[in-house]
Amino acid sequence: MKTLLLIRHAEAESAYFGVDDRRRELTQEGFTQAVHLGKKIASGNFQPEVMFYSDAVRTTVTTQLILEQLDMPQEAIFVEPSFYEANVGRLLDFINQRADQADSLAIVGHNPAISFLAEYLTGDVIGNLSPADAVVITFDLESWELVSQATGSLLTRL
């Protein structure tokens, strides 16, 4: 059995002219959202063995705030620059290439890809994940390589 935690970054500043989109910071509300989500993950027994996150400031800070609530070793946390503009296909390829030693993993990324991926993997209508929204998807599979369209079941939305 494999478990995937898909997380959308917390609320970020609005985009404005002259600022690199990757450098957008979290709002004050975003900080609160990320800490709250970290607490929900910790209390719900959904702590992943491995976590990957986009290199954008808003996903990096979201990840750091979530990790403050979890007990994960630093060597299980990885930045993944390809997540910044990833589509469903790129994220699925990434998942399919994960080592099977880890039965649970988390991805902290961006919409619309995170929401689309959740729907693709479950076959459910999940809709748009709000900032600091997360879904837990389980797969009755022994290998990440077998994860594909509608192979997962939505366990919960955090």
Side-chain angles (χ1 to χ4, degrees):
M1 168 95 72
K2 301 293 184 195
T3 303
L4 177 64
L5 177 60
L6 294 177
I7 302 168
R8 181 179 175 194
H9 64 77
E11 183 181 89
E13 300 173 319
S14 296
Y16 54 93
F17 183 74
V19 172
D20 179 5
D21 186 63
R22 281 184 196 251
R23 297 198 179 283
R24 288 175 42 218
E25 300 278 349
L26 293 185
T27 63
Q28 201 56 42
E29 176 64 17
F31 277 90
T32 301
Q33 291 171 340
V35 170
H36 182 69
L37 178 59
K39 288 178 181 178
K40 285 202 289 192
I41 293 168
S43 69
N45 297 320
F46 306 117
Q47 182 166 316
E49 295 170 67
V50 184
M51 184 176 285
F52 301 92
Y53 63 96
S54 163
D55 65 348
V57 169
R58 58 194 179 273
T59 48
T60 300
V61 175
T62 298
T63 302
Q64 291 168 344
L65 293 168
I66 289 170
L67 288 170
E68 288 177 4
Q69 311 304 315
L70 306 178
D71 184 26
M72 286 186 71
Q74 192 61 40
E75 58 271 9
I77 304 158
F78 304 93
V79 64
E80 181 52 50
S82 70
F83 287 178
Y84 176 66
E85 291 186 328
N87 59 23
V88 169
R90 170 68 189 107
L91 293 172
L92 180 60
D93 286 346
F94 183 86
I95 292 165
N96 290 153
Q97 294 170 18
R98 295 308 93 210
D100 289 326
Q101 292 91 323
D103 287 326
S104 61
L105 64 90
I107 292 176
V108 185
H110 306 270
N111 259 0
I114 290 292
S115 293
F116 290 165
L117 180 62
E119 289 187 341
Y120 180 83
L121 294 176
T122 63
D124 293 337
V125 176
I126 294 171
N128 189 38
L129 294 177
S130 299
D133 235 356
V135 293
V136 180
I137 301 170
T138 58
F139 302 90
D140 192 17
L141 304 168
E142 295 300 316
S143 174
W144 291 110
E145 183 178 51
L146 300 174
V147 170
S148 187
Q149 185 174 16
T151 57
S153 298
L154 179 65
L155 181 62
T156 192
R157 186 170 182 164
L158 301 174

